[in-house]
Amino acid sequence: MVSGKKTKATRSSVAAARSSVVASKPKPWGTIIAVIAVLGLAGGVFGYAYSQIHANNVKEAALAKWKPSDTNKDPSTQLAGIVIKEYKGSRHVEPTQRVAYDQTPAFGGPHDSQWADCTGVVYDKAVRTENMVHGLEHGAVWIAYNPDQVKDDALNKLKAKAEGQQYTMLSPFPGLDKPISLQSWGHQLKVDNADDERIDQFISSLRRNPNTYPEVGASCENSQFLANPAPFVAEKPGADAVPMDGGKDESKTEGQQPNMSTPPPSGSASTPPSS
Amino acid sequence: MTSPEATETERPSGVARTLVITAAVLAVLLLGAAIGLLVKLPGSTTSAAPASGSVDVGFCQDMSVHHLQGIQMANIARDRTTDPDVRQLAFDIASTQLEQVGRMKGWLMMWNEHEQSPNGVYMSWMNDAGIHGHGATTAEPGKPLMPGMATTDELTKLRGLSGRDLEVYFLQLMIRHHTGGAPMAEFAAHRAGQPFVRTLADNMLKSQTSELDVMKDLLAKRGAAPLP
């Protein structure tokens, strides 16, 4: 035991002595520090560049998810709670007529010939749905809010998303069943508060998405309407309202099947649609 | 003690030399990689579709929004004025800019990009790295989105005017609009990757400069001065 220990100690002291003889140099601290410093600096620069690019890429990827493209024609299908219905671009109604919309707020179907101006407009008062729907047909997103539930800060957040932003409109919608409801042609999403990230995702996915609205290239400008917006009508539409399919009165159908505008042979006018 | 030290400086051990050289190579590679990540050469994106956030995409998106407001103002003037010069000018501005917007939106569609900023941030592409734009603006209610643009209140005021007041205010707003948009066009005319984007931007710059002279002239004839 004792001898063993001694041997070890001797060996190590020999080794130490040897190394101090063979390689006995004082460590080149200057060089070591310089090398570490240069490497550290290079690593730092690279790390910074990488983290910036990486953060940017992550942001891009997050955005791309909600960006319409050839391979992702309607990104809104990934949104939790989205309601999608297919509506054809269509029939115009008179300023005095109502449409029996199948959704509240409506997001497709027959509409007034005057589209609500959607050049980034904040409507302070509630607007007639028949006009708003026409704005949707031109590619706009309509942000509707319940004026009893969305005020002050929350309302300002919505205004920032709409005011001056082309193809966007914001208006109160009295009696709305949720605080906020987003509409684009054939699409709707209801959310509870203005901070919900799905609001921006909905806008990114659907505003002027050429795959989801009927009249690509249509203008949002309508200063005539803006000067005097048609007011919201709270009463439910009556029996005389235009139905969602545009009704059987083909003479009022704009641009569709012009041949049908001639009066049908007697008897067939009241024939119910075959089912 | 002195002799081994001297020997050491004369012939540094192979290991140390290898380490230093490796470190140097590594450092150079890291720096090169970092530079590669950060630097985008102008014109380097000519073949492929430009990336989101690039000058090409940003310019087309933001200039479309800028133009659309110019068209809006010109249409208001054309609807309301009785003056043939102003009406002709308004038609010229609206039809030219609308056609240019169509070009830009067509390109954006080919590139699978939004027609306009999806998040209300504008001009973030007007810097070199494309990461933090020093010229970037974020939408705020009541404020113009980009330099030269009119606020909602100013547009409402324009809609309410007629006669000489309308002409003067329209010219003042449009002069400011053209002037404010010029730096964007200038930036894109030099920095866009796609030659056709550079050409359009350059063209805007030139045609709007001569249009500015016409408008200043029309304004002076009405005894008014541009907005401060």
Side-chain angles (χ1 to χ4, degrees), chain A residues 24-25 35 38-39 42 45-46 52-53 60 67-70 119 163-167 204 207-208 221 223 226, chain B residues 4 8 23 30 33 37 52 68 71-72 75 105 112-117 122 131 139 141-142 145 152 159:
Chain A
S24 100
K25 40 180 175 186
V35 165
V38 167
L39 265 183
V45 170
F46 176 77
Q52 290 289 311
I53 302 290
E60 285 262 299
K67 187 156 74 176
S69 66
D70 300 339
T119 56
E163 186 173 342
Q165 307 294 326
Q166 292 288 337
Y167 308 102
S204 178
R207 186 168 60 192
R208 291 282 282 193
E221 258 185 62
S223 39
L226 209 46
Chain B
E8 195 49 44
L30 278 171
L37 285 175
S52 310
L68 282 173
I71 296 163
Q72 221 172 324
N75 284 341
K105 290 192 173 183
N112 281 318
E113 293 292 343
H114 283 114
E115 281 188 5
Q116 70 196 66
S117 159
Y122 294 93
I131 294 165
L145 292 182
T152 305
R159 273 185 210 101

Side-chain angles (χ1 to χ4, degrees), chain B residues 171 175 179 209 211-221 224 226:
Chain B
L171 291 167
I175 287 170
T179 312
T209 306
E211 225 161 53
L212 270 174
D213 294 339
V214 173
M215 290 195 286
K216 284 174 183 161
D217 206 40
L218 289 173
L219 196 56
K221 272 188 197 155

Side-chain angles (χ1 to χ4, degrees), chain A residues 20-26 28 31 35 38-39 41-43 45-50 52-53 56 59-60 63 66-71 117 119-120 156 159-161 163-168 200 203-205 207-208 210-211 213 216 221 223 226-227, chain B residues 4-5 8 11 13 16 19-20 23-24 26-31 33-35 37-38 51-53 65 68-69 71-73 75-76 79 105 109-110 112-120 122 130-132 139-143 145 149 151-153 159:
Chain A
S20 77
V21 171
V22 174
S24 100
K25 40 180 175 186
T31 311
V35 165
V38 167
L39 265 183
L41 187 70
V45 170
F46 176 77
Y48 173 77
Y50 183 79
Q52 290 289 311
I53 302 290
N56 216 34
K59 229 164 64 189
E60 285 262 299
L63 280 179
W66 306 108
K67 187 156 74 176
S69 66
D70 300 339
T71 50
D117 188 294
T119 56
N156 278 331
K159 282 183 180 172
K161 295 178 194 302
E163 186 173 342
Q165 307 294 326
Q166 292 288 337
Y167 308 102
T168 316
D200 288 345
I203 293 172
S204 178
S205 302
R207 186 168 60 192
R208 291 282 282 193
N211 307 302
Y213 74 101
V216 170
E221 258 185 62
S223 39
L226 209 46
Chain B
E5 211 177 334
E8 195 49 44
R11 111 190 123 72
S13 82
L19 273 178
V20 169
L26 203 61
V28 167
L29 284 178
L30 278 171
L31 286 174
I35 291 166
L37 285 175
L38 289 174
S52 310
V65 171
L68 282 173
Q69 193 190 61
I71 296 163
Q72 221 172 324
M73 297 194 299
N75 284 341
I76 294 169
D79 281 350
K105 290 192 173 183
M109 195 173 171
M110 286 194 322
N112 281 318
E113 293 292 343
H114 283 114
E115 281 188 5
Q116 70 196 66
S117 159
N119 55 9
Y122 294 93
I131 294 165
H132 332 270
E140 244 178 282
K143 299 255 174 69
L145 292 182
M149 287 184 76
T151 62
T152 305
D153 290 346
R159 273 185 210 101

Side-chain angles (χ1 to χ4, degrees), chain A residues 7-275:
Chain A
T7 329
K8 228 182 198 173
T10 320
R11 257 185 219 144
S12 68
S13 74
V14 167
R18 204 179 274 153
S19 77
S20 77
V21 171
V22 174
S24 100
K25 40 180 175 186
K27 297 278 183 213
W29 287 117
T31 311
I32 291 172
I33 289 169
V35 165
I36 289 174
V38 167
L39 265 183
L41 187 70
V45 170
F46 176 77
Y48 173 77
Y50 183 79
S51 69
Q52 290 289 311
I53 302 290
H54 181 71
N56 216 34
N57 286 348
V58 167
K59 229 164 64 189
E60 285 262 299
L63 280 179
K65 189 177 176 194
W66 306 108
K67 187 156 74 176
S69 66
D70 300 339
T71 50
N72 190 12
K73 288 187 189 293
D74 183 358
S76 76
T77 54
Q78 308 165 84
L79 279 170
I82 187 92
V83 178
I84 301 180
K85 290 201 64 166
E86 197 177 322
Y87 294 113
K88 294 200 171 104
S90 61
R91 152 148 200 205
H92 289 171
V93 303
E94 302 296 319
T96 50
Q97 284 180 301
R98 304 287 304 279
V99 175
Y101 286 116
D102 57 349
Q103 304 285 327
T104 311
F107 52 91
H111 45 260
D112 194 281
S113 59
Q114 293 287 323
W115 59 91
D117 188 294
C118 44
T119 56
V121 179
V122 173
Y123 290 100
D124 293 326
K125 293 189 185 129
V127 183
R128 183 165 163 261
T129 299
E130 282 79 356
N131 301 92
M132 296 301 264
V133 169
H134 197 166
L136 301 182
E137 194 186 34
H138 289 202
V141 164
W142 168 24
I143 307 174
Y145 63 94
N146 184 325
D148 296 329
Q149 293 171 311
V150 178
K151 295 171 178 170
D152 308 324
D153 251 19
L155 185 53
N156 278 331
K157 281 176 186 160
L158 295 182
K159 282 183 180 172
K161 295 178 194 302
E163 186 173 342
Q165 307 294 326
Q166 292 288 337
Y167 308 102
T168 316
M169 40 191 185
L170 173 70
S171 76
F173 194 95
L176 188 61
D177 60 347
K178 283 271 195 162
I180 298 165
S181 181
L182 306 158
Q183 284 73 232
S184 91
W185 186 266
H187 295 72
Q188 184 170 62
L189 178 70
K190 293 184 177 179
V191 299
D192 289 318
N193 75 72
D195 293 315
D196 197 309
E197 62 177 10
R198 289 174 298 166
I199 297 176
D200 288 345
Q201 293 165 350
F202 184 94
I203 293 172
S204 178
S205 302
L206 294 164
R207 186 168 60 192
R208 291 282 282 193
N209 176 340
N211 307 302
T212 59
Y213 74 101
E215 296 185 355
V216 170
S219 173
C220 258
E221 258 185 62
N222 188 348
S223 39
Q224 211 182 325
F225 186 85
L226 209 46
N228 192 16
F232 181 75
V233 186
E235 298 82 49
K236 284 207 173 341
D240 58 341
V242 175
M244 281 305 282
D245 63 5
K248 288 187 294 263
D249 185 356
E250 299 287 349
S251 65
K252 285 182 186 162
T253 306
E254 183 208 55
Q256 287 182 343
Q257 298 171 307
N259 297 339
M260 296 296 282
S261 62
T262 50
S266 62
S268 76
S270 56
T271 308
S274 56
S275 52

